[in-house]
Amino acid sequence: MSDPRILLASDNPILASAVVRHCGSLSGLGAVQIGNPGDAAALLADGEPAQFLLCVVDLALPFEAVKALAAAATVGGVPWLAVADCYSPEFRDLAQDLDAIDLVVAEAEDPQSVARFVDRLLKNRAVRILVVEDSAFMRLFLRRQLRRYQFRVHMAGSAAVALRILEQRPDITAVIIDYDMPGQNGVELTRTIRRRFRQREVCLIGISGKAPRSISAEFLKSGGDDYLHKPFEREELYCRVLHGVEAVERMLEIKRLERLRRMFLSMLAHDLKSPAGGIVGAANLILDGVCGEIGGEVREMAAVISQAGRRLCTLASNMQDLTRLETGRLEPALVASRLDALVMERVRLAEATAAGKGIRLEVRVPEVPVMLFDPDLLARLLDNLLSNAVKFSPAKTLVRLALWTTDDAVVVRVSDEGPGVLLEERHRLFRPFERLSAKPTAGEKSLGLGLAIAEGIVAAHGGRIWVESDPGQGAAFCFSLPLVASGPSVQDADCICS
């Protein structure tokens, strides 16, 4: 055999079938069964180096055979795992006495259990654990126990050494921290790690034998993920460490998928914009008569095409804005301009959509001083708020827009007579892709991006956005912008209801 494999020493055909089949599908490594314990022991002791990554031994075999297999695994440098069809203290003691990695129960109802444990052990070979312990004896003890489960282990005798290792090894997944250390105790080191490595996903586990049991709460409140009181069983150590490692792995996978989502949205938005713009341009040429005289039906179809193309352009812009917001790359191009004029321009555009539902727009927009803002971004912000109000308003109702100034800010309020926002749903309101219980009144479609983008645009201008709503009484979305834009800073303003 040229490739490392998993050796199963068992004469149980059901166990063999489950382990061989599922190990191959889970880990991608082949498993081979040998029913004769003597042949298996000889293969372990005399085989090629690294021929086997792991040996699985069925404790249902005769005691002498299990003992011989354990000795052969030790001689061959192959870690081995004890398997039994049920748990018993005798099986556990036997596995520990013969220096097995652990005892795994192979239940008939869950034939994949052994294969999952094996797969996890193989994954552990790529996981790095840092042990921070001032006692050399305890450091070596913890290293031995963790290596038993195939982890890669780094050791530090002080907080200063631990911080240096964390700086040099960004791939460390978990840190085991003793409380009673000179210079900086474990709780203080936990706080330092959380403060210094804010962006890193790492599990912190506190341990102590001398400190009072209440110190566990201090570890957890300081940013620790778990706590173990010495002395502890090695299975307990593994379960706690594994729980933290898998939590970190899940979070890293979530972040990876999030990066892929952002990349996909950015590519999709970029690829949609050009054809959508071409569709709108072609339709508008037809409507303008550039292609010759057209009949009423053709004009109507060209108008529908143009409107659908504009919606597609808006969707592409929203997706592009969202990716910029999430990556912190939405930077407004500030120019001196009149917000009141921009508001009236966007209201006129929104009136066409509102008229389709018999909705009337009531506007109160006085003149305001010239301000610094990005006209393109503010236009999208206003479009999102106005289209949102129309979308959730019943037919033949009123949408109101009011603008006014305070001592240091300008405030815009867009209100509707729709279903409003439930109090328990408000914390989800400005999240991307969120859809609340209130539904558009005419079945309009939405990705749930408008309000998330609106919040990002306001924040990029140093302002704030909020909602005022009583369920069943409509909703009012307000935002305030500083009259003098001098970088992102939060400005508070009271919203005066009209």
Side-chain angles (χ1 to χ4, degrees):
M1 286 174 282
S2 58
D3 294 328
R5 292 192 178 189
I6 299 158
L7 174 63
L8 170 64
S10 172
D11 57 3
N12 182 334
I14 297 176
L15 175 63
S17 173
V19 171
V20 171
R21 183 170 71 255
H22 294 302
C23 280
S25 63
L26 286 173
S27 63
L29 295 176
V32 58
Q33 179 209 6
I34 298 182
N36 187 313
D39 293 343
L43 195 57
L44 284 171
D46 303 329
E48 302 171 3
Q51 184 176 4
F52 293 107
L53 289 177
L54 186 69
C55 176
V56 180
V57 177
D58 187 357
L59 295 188
L61 294 170
F63 171 73
E64 291 301 326
V66 173
K67 189 175 177 181
L69 284 164
T74 301
V75 171
V78 180
W80 72 281
L81 185 67
V83 177
D85 59 359
C86 65
Y87 174 83
S88 74
E90 292 77 15
F91 281 150
R92 178 181 179 275
D93 293 343
L94 175 61
Q96 292 206 351
D97 291 343
L98 296 179
D99 205 30
I101 296 174
D102 210 333
L103 170 66
V104 181
V105 176
E107 297 177 335
E109 295 81 5
D110 186 14
Q112 293 192 37
S113 58
V114 177
R116 284 198 302 270
F117 198 97
V118 169
D119 180 59
R120 183 64 251 184
L121 287 176
L122 297 175
K123 287 179 179 176
N124 289 350
R125 296 163 72 92
V127 176
R128 296 182 182 273
I129 310 291
L130 173 60
V131 174
V132 189
E133 168 68 70
D134 63 324
S135 165
F137 172 80
M138 195 64 188
R139 281 201 306 273
L140 293 173
F141 170 78
L142 286 168
R143 181 177 69 172
R144 183 172 184 273
Q145 299 307 319
L146 292 168
R147 282 185 171 178
R148 178 188 301 280
Y149 291 98
Q150 309 299 297
F151 291 115
R152 297 185 179 188
V153 183
H154 301 260
M155 297 190 297
S158 67
V161 174
L163 292 171
R164 275 203 306 273
I165 293 174
L166 285 170
E167 291 281 2
Q168 297 164 2
R169 301 285 334 189
D171 54 347
I172 285 176
T173 304
V175 185
I176 299 175
I177 306 170
D178 181 44
Y179 172 74
D180 192 14
M181 291 189 298
Q184 190 177 38
N185 66 39
V187 170
E188 293 166 345
L189 176 58
T190 299
R191 291 196 195 102
T192 301
I193 292 173
R194 288 300 184 210
R195 185 171 59 251
R196 188 175 298 184
F197 304 99
R198 292 181 188 275
Q199 303 303 318
R200 187 182 300 185
E201 295 298 333
V202 61
C203 169
L204 305 182
I205 302 173
I207 59 171
S208 181
K210 298 178 183 178
R213 298 299 290 259
S214 59
I215 204 66
S216 63
E218 287 303 310
F219 263 110
L220 298 175
K221 288 191 290 185
S222 299
D225 298 287
D226 208 339
Y227 179 83
L228 276 167
H229 194 83
K230 304 175 191 173
F232 41 76
E233 297 292 338
R234 74 186 191 198
E235 297 102 325
E236 182 185 12
L237 171 67
Y238 178 58
C239 290
R240 298 290 185 91
V241 171
L242 182 60
H243 178 79
V245 166
E246 289 183 332
V248 170
E249 289 174 344
R250 285 192 295 271
M251 186 55 66
L252 291 175
E253 178 64 9
I254 289 171
K255 287 185 173 182
R256 186 187 72 83
L257 294 174
E258 180 63 17
R259 286 194 298 273
L260 287 177
R261 181 188 68 82
R262 289 175 184 170
M263 187 184 304
F264 171 75
L265 283 179
S266 180
M267 292 171 61
L268 181 63
H270 180 270
D271 291 345
L272 276 177
K273 266 195 163 183
S274 294
I279 291 170
V280 173
N284 288 342
L285 287 174
I286 295 172
L287 289 170
D288 292 342
V290 175
C291 303
E293 291 296 324
I294 57 174
E297 289 186 3
V298 174
R299 177 172 294 279
E300 187 177 336
M301 288 302 299
V304 170
I305 292 170
S306 177
Q307 187 179 25
R310 284 197 300 272
R311 285 203 201 99
L312 198 57
C313 287
T314 301
L315 174 62
S317 296
N318 282 343
M319 288 193 294
Q320 213 163 39
D321 289 343
L322 179 65
T323 55
R324 288 173 182 162
L325 282 171
E326 292 177 332
T327 55
R329 292 187 286 111
L330 184 68
E331 297 180 0
L334 301 178
V335 297
S337 191
R338 298 290 298 261
L339 182 59
D340 50 335
L342 180 65
V343 168
M344 293 307 301
E345 173 192 309
R346 307 325 291 182
V347 166
R348 281 192 290 271
L349 290 173
E351 283 176 338
T353 306
K357 295 176 71 173
I359 294 171
R360 188 165 60 88
L361 269 62
E362 182 181 281
V363 182
R364 291 193 296 117
V365 178
E367 286 190 8
V368 295
V370 173
M371 298 171 52
L372 289 175
F373 61 86
D374 185 322
D376 290 337
L377 290 181
L378 262 293
R380 275 209 283 282
L381 164 64
L382 291 164
D383 289 347
N384 284 340
L385 295 184
L386 287 166
S387 67
N388 201 62
V390 171
K391 192 182 301 178
F392 289 92
S393 291
K396 299 181 180 179
T397 55
L398 196 63
V399 169
R400 295 180 175 87
L401 186 148
L403 180 150
W404 66 91
T405 60
T406 64
D407 291 339
D408 57 358
V410 60
V411 182
V412 177
R413 184 177 191 268
V414 179
S415 61
D416 60 56
E417 298 176 0
V421 182
L422 296 176
L423 185 62
E424 59 269 23
E425 294 182 338
R426 290 190 187 182
H427 67 284
R428 298 164 46 204
L429 198 56
F430 296 102
R431 294 179 184 173
F433 302 106
E434 285 283 355
R435 296 183 181 181
L436 308 185
S437 57
K439 304 299 180 186
T441 54
E444 295 97 330
K445 303 297 182 184
S446 171
L447 286 178
L449 294 178
L451 291 178
I453 292 167
E455 183 186 44
I457 291 173
V458 171
H461 283 80
R464 73 181 185 101
I465 187 169
W466 66 98
V467 64
E468 299 171 346
S469 177
D470 291 321
Q473 302 298 315
F477 287 90
C478 310
F479 69 88
S480 65
L481 301 176
L483 281 172
V484 179
S486 57
S489 62
V490 177
Q491 301 286 336
D492 291 327
D494 294 327
C495 182
I496 303 171
C497 299
S498 58

